[in-house]
Amino acid sequence: MILGSGCAGNTAAIYTARAGLNPLVVIGHEPGGQLSLTTEVENFPGFPDGINGPDLVANMQKQAERFGAEYIYGTVTHADLSQRPFKLTIDEEAHECRTLIIATGASARWLGLPNEQKLIGFGVSSCATCDGAFYKGRKIMVIGGGDTAMEEANFLTRFGEEVTLVHRREEFRASKIMLDRARANPKIKFLTNTVVEDIYDPGQKLVNGVKLRNTQTGKVWDQPVDGFFLAIGHIPNTKPFAGQIDLDPDGYILSKGGARTNITGVFHAGDVQDRTYRQAVTAAGAGCMAAIEAERFLEAQGH
């Protein structure tokens, strides 16, 4: 069984289906994973003109289904990994499997603004590496105060005319070296003690400005911006496995080498374990690794 239908889960499905393992893929609460929130993908190998994110994952699913993979809608609400076959509850329905590939991904943290979800993929993004190149010569805003925010802001200065980093407090969580690097970059402007109250303009299906508020003075103003990047962290989708799979303090799966977890017969793939790269191509590669490990494991078991 494969949990997740992003690049990692779909690639694992392609490989396991071609190996004749009849994988069952649970689509999950975010069908297609993070790519389903992206309009244009320009950095996935093999597509010189780019490809629409949802189209890319849909093509992967078709490819897996061609080899016999079965897909079902639902999310895992409970898992008993204490013995094989593993027992999982998917939307109140019981399922069993001999091996399990967890490719449930990590969901980006959002601010919960009125127009935020409407503009994801139309100027709102949680991945500078994925979408920064679309904003050459434009005004870019980054939200956050940790190392990721500093790294994303520095990266985005390669493209943007200016990058404004907005943080709700005066102090930053970022390490001194990352903060100093951002402060030394002449293209980065800092707005501290400031929060975003809304993003414009869903009517035009593009970002053209934000509504800001100073938390100390209460001053509210609009500021023009073309690209809006969230860098406030991700939440790995591992809640059903807590207490069974070894996780780090933030909930990411701890790898035991290759694609292995601490439980024999359970493998990981993609952003559920990867807190560093989070790219479509690395997730696909991780899905391949997990599938090969699962195939070899079952072969050694005589299946």
Side-chain angles (χ1 to χ4, degrees):
M1 183 179 291
I2 299 166
L3 307 180
S5 58
C7 278
N10 280 328
T11 303
I14 291 167
Y15 273 77
T16 52
R18 284 191 78 239
L21 300 181
N22 302 315
L24 177 66
V25 184
V26 181
I27 288 173
H29 73 281
E30 285 184 348
Q34 294 296 302
L35 274 191
S36 64
L37 307 177
T38 306
T39 46
E40 194 74 14
V41 178
E42 292 188 331
N43 55 6
F44 197 89
F47 297 93
D49 299 319
I51 184 171
N52 183 275
D55 289 345
L56 178 58
V57 288
N59 286 345
M60 289 182 175
Q61 179 173 334
K62 287 177 188 172
Q63 192 172 355
E65 287 175 329
R66 175 189 159 203
F67 295 117
E70 181 184 350
Y71 283 73
I72 61 170
Y73 283 93
T75 55
V76 175
T77 54
H78 178 74
D80 179 1
L81 308 179
S82 59
Q83 59 184 6
R84 296 176 64 239
F86 305 122
K87 297 176 174 61
L88 294 98
T89 304
I90 300 164
D91 290 350
E92 301 183 4
E93 188 174 310
H95 289 263
E96 292 187 350
C97 60
R98 291 179 297 191
T99 58
L100 182 66
I101 295 175
I102 302 174
T104 46
S107 301
R109 293 183 190 271
W110 304 104
L111 293 173
L113 304 173
N115 292 326
E116 188 177 45
Q117 296 296 311
K118 300 172 189 173
L119 289 167
I120 293 173
F122 298 97
V124 172
S125 173
S126 61
C127 180
T129 309
C130 310
D131 300 325
F134 295 121
Y135 300 97
K136 289 178 181 174
R138 315 293 286 278
K139 289 181 170 64
I140 299 172
M141 185 168 283
V142 176
I143 312 302
D147 280 355
T148 300
M150 304 305 149
E151 187 177 353
E152 302 256 288
N154 267 308
F155 176 78
L156 288 165
T157 60
R158 300 181 190 182
F159 309 105
E161 172 193 329
E162 66 176 35
V163 176
T164 302
L165 197 148
V166 176
H167 185 46
R168 59 187 173 175
R169 292 189 290 269
E170 187 71 37
E171 302 80 24
F172 292 92
R173 290 177 290 104
S175 59
K176 185 178 184 300
I177 188 170
M178 293 299 291
L179 182 57
D180 288 348
R181 193 174 296 165
R183 281 181 167 151
N185 192 321
K187 293 178 79 173
I188 297 176
K189 298 178 180 178
F190 286 81
L191 270 180
T192 56
N193 300 313
T194 302
V195 294
V196 183
E197 297 213 319
D198 209 354
I199 312 170
Y200 311 119
D201 179 9
Q204 298 185 49
K205 281 207 167 183
L206 57 83
V207 170
N208 57 21
V210 293
K211 181 180 181 182
L212 300 172
R213 176 173 59 84
N214 185 291
T215 58
Q216 293 187 327
T217 66
K219 176 188 174 185
V220 176
W221 73 99
D222 290 343
Q223 184 161 317
V225 66
D226 304 299
F228 186 89
F229 289 82
L230 277 297
I232 54 176
H234 288 73
I235 306 167
N237 300 314
T238 53
K239 191 175 179 181
F241 316 109
Q244 300 181 83
I245 299 286
D246 286 350
L247 309 174
D248 73 9
D250 294 321
Y252 289 89
I253 293 176
L254 288 171
S255 182
K256 301 301 178 179
R260 295 182 293 280
T261 70
N262 61 296
I263 297 177
T264 303
V266 180
F267 307 94
H268 61 71
D271 290 8
V272 75
Q273 185 272 328
D274 173 16
R275 57 189 304 155
T276 304
Y277 304 105
R278 294 196 190 99
Q279 297 299 298
V281 68
T282 53
C288 166
M289 290 166 60
I292 291 172
E293 296 247 18
E295 181 185 356
R296 289 175 178 171
F297 171 76
L298 287 170
E299 190 176 0
Q301 296 283 313
H303 298 297

